[in-house]
Amino acid sequence: GSNITRSLYSLPPKVLFTRALSNGDGRTDIIASVENKNATAAAKNIPYKVQVSAGKFVIQEVSGTLDLPPGATVPVFIPGIFSGKQKVATAFLTIDPSSLQWFSLDDSPRVEPLVLGSKQTGKPGAPRIEATLTNPGAVAMTNVRVVVLVRNASGDVIAASETVVSVIPAQDTATAIFTWNNAFSDTPASIEVVPFIPLP
């Protein structure tokens, strides 16, 4: 395949949602989800901006980068973005389409960790989630970023966190552990665990 995919042929990334999550002690975390609908095009180091607003006022803006593998929906977790007494109302993640450099990734399938299952443990005031990941490949995976999204019965994200699993041995499993310092704001109904391997 050719390495240059003109942006003409590529659909722009779609931000599915951005949520500000109050994490106790006046801290606010941000969770967002970005979808790449292109089956064979990927983009690396895409710059994004998140604006955090309280009422009508933007109180903070942060920026970062993300990778979008082909056909993937990638969560973006930003911990402790804001601390203060103001109640954060909204957050918006935006991507400037002109900054995207798509490249073709249809030649070799990516080996990604699989999530075997997850369970919630811990106490109500200090929830803990453990997820079991397995590596189907023949090579050990290192520094695997894993994001967890906890949703209520309506499907809204009520909590999120990120951890790094230092190694998942080849053909073996490892556990990702997420902890919180305060109770979830609602009853968790579903847990989604998303492991992420950086693009080559």
Side-chain angles (χ1 to χ4, degrees):
S2 97
N3 285 334
I4 306 292
T5 307
R6 301 208 178 278
S7 53
L8 215 63
Y9 301 114
S10 300
L11 298 160
K14 184 177 179 194
V15 180
L16 301 179
F17 67 84
T18 314
R19 273 185 84 87
L21 299 167
S22 161
N23 200 3
D25 309 326
R27 270 190 49 224
T28 297
D29 300 337
I30 302 295
I31 182 77
S33 190
V34 182
E35 182 182 31
N36 174 14
K37 285 192 163 154
N38 301 295
T40 57
K44 277 179 77 163
N45 299 328
I46 305 165
Y48 65 79
K49 274 198 186 112
V50 177
Q51 284 194 332
V52 183
S53 305
K56 293 180 182 155
F57 302 100
V58 173
I59 49 176
Q60 191 142 356
E61 187 173 279
V62 293
S63 53
T65 60
L66 61 97
D67 283 4
L68 281 178
T73 298
V74 175
V76 178
F77 179 71
I78 310 165
I81 180 176
F82 178 75
S83 52
K85 295 194 167 55
Q86 281 165 296
K87 182 105 176 67
V88 171
T90 51
F92 287 105
L93 184 143
T94 51
I95 292 170
D96 176 5
S98 66
S99 62
L100 292 169
Q101 304 259 315
W102 294 105
F103 60 96
S104 168
L105 245 196
D106 53 357
D107 299 334
S108 55
R110 279 161 49 86
V111 177
E112 305 223 15
L114 304 172
V115 181
L116 292 182
S118 57
K119 61 181 184 196
Q120 187 184 338
T121 58
K123 306 182 179 75
R128 173 183 169 112
I129 287 174
E130 296 180 24
T132 305
L133 306 175
T134 183
N135 173 1
V139 180
M141 295 172 174
T142 54
N143 297 332
V144 180
R145 274 178 42 222
V146 191
V147 174
V148 65
L149 293 83
V150 183
R151 290 182 170 86
N152 62 12
S154 319
D156 293 324
V157 176
I158 54 167
S161 185
E162 181 175 71
T163 189
V164 173
V165 176
S166 53
V167 63
I168 311 177
Q171 312 275 316
D172 205 350
T173 59
T175 305
I177 297 171
F178 306 92
T179 57
W180 288 265
N181 299 328
N182 55 315
F184 292 153
S185 59
D186 199 350
T187 308
S190 70
I191 295 170
E192 181 186 3
V193 177
V194 187
F196 195 76
I197 297 278
L199 286 165

